[in-house]
Amino acid sequence: MSASIHLATPDDAVKLLPMIEAFHAEDGVKSDVEGRAAAIAPLLEGSPHGALWLIGPRAAPVGYIAITFGWSLASGGLDGTIDEFFIRETVRGRGVGTEVLIALMSELEAGGVTALHLEVADGNDRAARIYKRIGFKTREKYRVMSWVPGSGR
């Protein structure tokens, strides 16, 4: 299986949306089709805030990865966060994810990204081992915290 990646465009929404729905269902994310479509539209249209890549053959992708961009004083500039990373269950365990990350990390570095971040769910030791093997490190003394508007204080 080729771990090729292709920057997604508006024409790819029809391929992406079912995979995003599957990822959200698997990860327990509450979303609806209209919300998912609205969330990806700016990224597919070239927003500087992030991008989506299809994984595998463009005509029949086996997954996707979403990277969002920010700015970090600590890392010295443009940084990225892996917001979502999904590979169809039937393709997992074949090294595709590792190949995708290594290729994308090189591409992002060449584009000026100074750091790439991700979250790993507690208990997902397999993913954590893969990420560590390719160079991701746990940031000691830090924990991820989030505030979502409308969720109360």
Side-chain angles (χ1 to χ4, degrees), residues 5-139:
I5 55 175
H6 312 277
L7 190 61
T9 68
D11 292 338
D12 296 313
V14 70
K15 297 171 198 147
L16 279 163
L17 286 168
M19 290 188 290
I20 294 170
E21 180 179 17
F23 174 79
H24 287 187
E26 187 176 292
D27 212 40
V29 175
K30 292 183 180 179
S31 66
D32 58 44
V33 69
E34 293 84 14
R36 291 187 293 272
I40 68 170
L43 302 181
L44 297 177
E45 293 165 1
S47 168
H49 298 293
L52 288 154
W53 284 264
L54 296 171
I55 300 168
R58 183 168 221 123
V62 298
Y64 72 94
I65 188 166
I67 308 288
T68 58
F69 299 112
W71 195 264
S72 171
L73 299 178
S75 66
L78 183 66
D79 68 350
T81 299
I82 298 174
D83 186 56
E84 294 187 5
F85 187 17
F86 174 79
I87 296 176
R88 293 186 193 278
E89 193 169 343
T90 57
V91 181
R92 293 177 194 167
R94 300 181 192 179
V96 172
T98 300
E99 285 183 48
V100 165
L101 284 173
I102 290 169
L104 194 54
M105 289 161 65
S106 293
E107 194 173 308
L108 292 169
E109 183 177 18
V113 171
T114 59
L116 184 62
H117 313 284
L118 56 80
E119 295 177 14
V120 181
D122 287 337
N124 193 347
D125 297 332
R126 181 175 179 223
R129 281 192 304 274
I130 292 167
Y131 296 138
K132 284 180 183 177
R133 189 174 65 234
I134 61 174
F136 285 87
K137 295 175 177 43
T138 301
R139 291 185 67 195

